[in-house]
């Protein structure tokens, strides 16, 4: 069976399963902010209409200046992109033909983009159920590698790696002349996060990717940015299509970065709902990963594989993210986003029904 490679767009999942898409369903497969976009975006939306006849700023200077102010770095260390996907693609082009390590399980786009650019891929597989990242286990692979992809906090597990562990990896990779591509797409969902962006001034091998579509719930607009040394930024920018970020996305990004209260509100909500959900899962003997963000992996430990649970949920209008295309998971877990209180309660209701039947 050919499984969809991403969450969201559930019609493709149901088609691959040979099922009709129900009229009512809850999509837990897309891990964006359940609160939705910042209210200020809706207030200003009509104003954006006046700008669609204007070519976007190819240098994204206004948005870049807001990021520079927030992160306290120079503007020549930032590259704005059309979502994390474009930035990953640019990095893969930059690494064309190189030897790349991907720390798995993780976002499939790293491998896909690198293979399209004729890179040699090597997996560093973390072991379930705790998915511990060990420097001792990783170190032997580094001398032969040109780059390493690491997602922190990790997608799909939701696990945050410690500052000391990530720094030790960056330091060791620098010794081995190996780039570290650190994907921080979900960093802003963490309550206490130690930013690695200041380290780009210390490590010439560090490339950081950040998405703005997750926290601000604007995946339809596509927006993100990358931080690295100025020479890397220059090389990546030459690979980027002109005007790849549209005017509306740039304007929305400027507004989103003003919403500190919105971010704090989101973090508090996610933490409360995660604790409520995890209490239920533990009580009813479901195994979960120790996620610290807005999604998590779940499985029924009494099953050999999770396909029967997956199918049951789909018939109940609950759509999780399958994990068949995550190396090392092969469908043995399901990923769920944290949604609204009502939607999370519905998930618990359906899982309780499953538990009573099994």
């Amino acid at each position: 069976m050919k499984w969809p490679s991403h969450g969201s767009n559930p019609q493709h999942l149901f088609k691959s399963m040979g099922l009709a898409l129900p009229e009512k369903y809850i999509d837990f497969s897309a891990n964006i902010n359940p609160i939705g976009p910042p209210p200020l975006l809706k207030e200003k939306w009509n104003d954006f209409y006046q700008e669609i006849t204007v070519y976007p700023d190819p240098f994204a200077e206004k948005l870049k200046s807001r990021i520079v102010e927030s992160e306290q770095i120079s503007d020549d260390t930032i590259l704005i992109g059309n979502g994390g996907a474009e930035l990953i693609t640019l990095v893969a082009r930059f690494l064309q033909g190189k030897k790349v390590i991907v720390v798995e399980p993780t976002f499939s786009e790293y491998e896909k983009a690198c293979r399209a650019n004729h890179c040699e891929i090597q997996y560093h597989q973390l072991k379930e159920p705790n998915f511990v990242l060990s420097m001792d286990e990783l170190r032997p692979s580094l001398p032969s590698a040109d780059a390493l992809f690491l997602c922190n906090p990790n997608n799909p597990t939701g696990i945050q790696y410690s500052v000391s562990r990530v720094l030790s990896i960056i330091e060791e990779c620098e010794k081995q002349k190996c780039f570290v591509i650190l994907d921080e797409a979900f960093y802003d969902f963490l309550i206490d996060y130690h930013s690695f962006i200041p380290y780009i001034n210390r490590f010439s091998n560090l490339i950081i990717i950040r998405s703005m579509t997750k926290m601000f719930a604007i995946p339809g607009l596509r927006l993100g940015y990358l931080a690295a040394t100025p020479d890397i930024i220059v090389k990546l920018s030459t690979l980027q299509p002109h005007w790849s970020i549209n005017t509306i996305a740039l304007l929305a990004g400027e507004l989103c970065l003003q919403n500190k209260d919105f971010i704090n509100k989101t973090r508090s909500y996610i933490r409360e709902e995660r604790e409520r959900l995890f209490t239920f899962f533990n009580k009813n003997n479901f195994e979960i990963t120790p996620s610290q963000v807005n999604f998590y992996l779940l499985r029924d430990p009494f099953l050999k594989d999770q396909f029967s649970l997956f199918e049951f949920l789909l018939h109940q209008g609950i759509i999780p993210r399958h994990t068949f295309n995550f190396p090392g998971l092969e469908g043995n877990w399901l990923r769920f986003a944290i949604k609204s209180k009502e939607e999370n309660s519905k998930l618990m209701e359906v899982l309780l029904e499953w538990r009573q039947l099994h």
Side-chain angles (χ1 to χ4, degrees):
M1 183 182 296
K2 183 174 175 57
W3 294 98
S5 58
H6 293 277
S8 193
N9 303 123
Q11 69 274 16
H12 299 305
L13 172 64
F14 275 78
K15 183 178 180 180
S16 68
M17 292 279 290
L19 300 173
L21 184 68
E23 289 186 14
K24 293 183 179 180
Y25 60 83
I26 306 174
D27 186 4
F28 285 87
S29 70
N31 44 11
I32 65 171
N33 192 334
I35 295 176
L40 189 59
L41 273 185
K42 188 173 184 179
E43 294 173 21
K44 298 290 185 179
W45 194 252
N46 287 338
D47 296 341
F48 292 171
Y49 179 77
Q50 307 300 322
E51 303 297 325
I52 64 174
T53 60
V54 180
Y55 277 93
D57 176 3
F59 304 106
E61 288 184 346
K62 289 183 179 179
L63 177 57
K64 191 181 294 184
S65 67
R66 290 199 178 277
I67 296 170
V68 165
E69 180 182 358
S70 174
E71 299 297 332
Q72 295 296 294
I73 51 176
S74 58
D75 61 1
D76 59 354
T77 61
I78 292 290
L79 180 66
I80 309 297
N82 186 14
E86 184 194 31
L87 296 169
I88 291 167
T89 299
L90 294 179
V91 171
R93 290 175 184 168
F94 173 68
L95 297 172
Q96 188 170 38
K98 302 292 186 181
K99 294 181 179 179
V100 174
I101 298 174
V102 180
V103 178
E104 297 280 3
T106 198
F107 188 41
S108 61
E109 204 68 32
Y110 312 143
E111 179 182 355
K112 182 179 179 182
C114 287
R115 287 201 184 281
N117 287 278
H118 312 291
C119 294
E120 181 182 328
I121 309 294
Q122 178 182 346
Y123 298 146
H124 178 77
Q125 193 70 54
L126 305 185
K127 297 179 178 63
E128 58 182 18
N130 296 319
F131 302 98
V132 174
L133 179 59
S134 168
M135 186 66 240
D136 290 338
E137 294 178 2
L138 179 60
R139 185 178 286 108
S141 303
L142 297 179
S144 62
D146 297 302
L148 178 140
F149 279 84
L150 178 65
C151 186
N152 185 44
N154 180 257
N155 177 15
T157 65
I159 293 172
Q160 179 188 11
Y161 307 122
S162 70
V163 174
S164 60
R165 186 61 47 82
V166 175
L167 278 178
S168 68
I169 290 172
I170 298 170
E171 289 170 349
E172 185 64 27
C173 284
E174 185 183 45
K175 293 176 186 176
Q176 303 296 340
K177 296 180 169 49
C178 175
F179 287 104
V180 174
I181 297 88
L182 186 62
D183 187 346
E184 295 188 327
F186 299 94
Y187 83 100
D188 39 6
F189 286 93
L190 296 165
I191 297 294
D192 297 308
Y193 184 69
H194 182 92
S195 175
F196 287 93
I197 282 189
Y199 291 102
I200 62 173
N201 296 318
R202 176 177 163 190
F203 298 106
S204 60
N205 64 322
L206 179 59
I207 300 172
I208 297 175
I209 295 174
R210 286 185 171 178
S211 169
M212 294 180 65
T213 63
K214 308 298 186 181
M215 169 57 73
F216 300 112
I218 53 170
L221 287 180
R222 315 302 308 144
L223 193 62
Y225 61 93
L226 179 150
T229 59
D231 62 317
I232 293 176
I233 295 298
V234 169
K235 291 173 183 176
L236 291 172
S237 63
T238 62
L239 301 172
Q240 186 176 37
H242 210 55
W243 291 311
S244 71
I245 310 101
N246 70 74
T247 298
I248 305 303
L250 291 174
L251 292 170
E254 292 173 39
L255 288 179
C256 286
L257 290 179
Q258 299 175 34
N259 279 255
K260 301 297 183 185
D261 290 342
F262 175 83
I263 294 173
N264 291 331
K265 177 184 176 183
T266 297
R267 289 171 176 168
S268 297
Y269 171 79
I270 293 296
R271 178 174 60 182
E272 291 171 6
E273 279 300 283
R274 188 174 59 239
E275 290 175 356
R276 184 169 76 98
L277 284 161
F278 284 17
T279 297
F280 168 84
F281 297 146
N282 289 325
K283 180 180 178 182
N284 290 279
N285 299 311
F286 289 99
E287 189 172 3
I288 48 176
T289 52
S291 171
Q292 293 180 267
V293 287
N294 60 318
F295 56 89
Y296 52 90
L297 291 182
L298 174 145
R299 67 180 177 187
D300 185 340
F302 302 113
L303 297 177
K304 185 176 180 181
D305 66 60
Q306 303 301 304
F307 187 80
S308 58
L309 172 58
F310 182 54
E311 196 171 33
F312 173 82
L313 291 169
L314 294 181
H315 282 292
Q316 300 298 316
I318 300 292
I319 306 175
R321 170 69 161 90
H322 72 84
T323 60
F324 290 103
N325 63 333
F326 287 99
L329 297 186
E330 280 81 37
N332 291 324
W333 296 78
L334 300 174
R335 193 191 72 189
F336 294 84
I338 293 175
K339 305 281 283 184
S340 71
K341 290 182 183 293
E342 294 75 17
E343 290 168 326
N344 295 331
S345 294
K346 179 62 176 179
L347 171 62
M348 290 189 281
E349 176 187 320
V350 171
L351 285 175
L352 186 59
E353 181 181 346
W354 166 270
R355 181 55 75 226
Q356 290 169 346
L357 293 171
H358 300 82

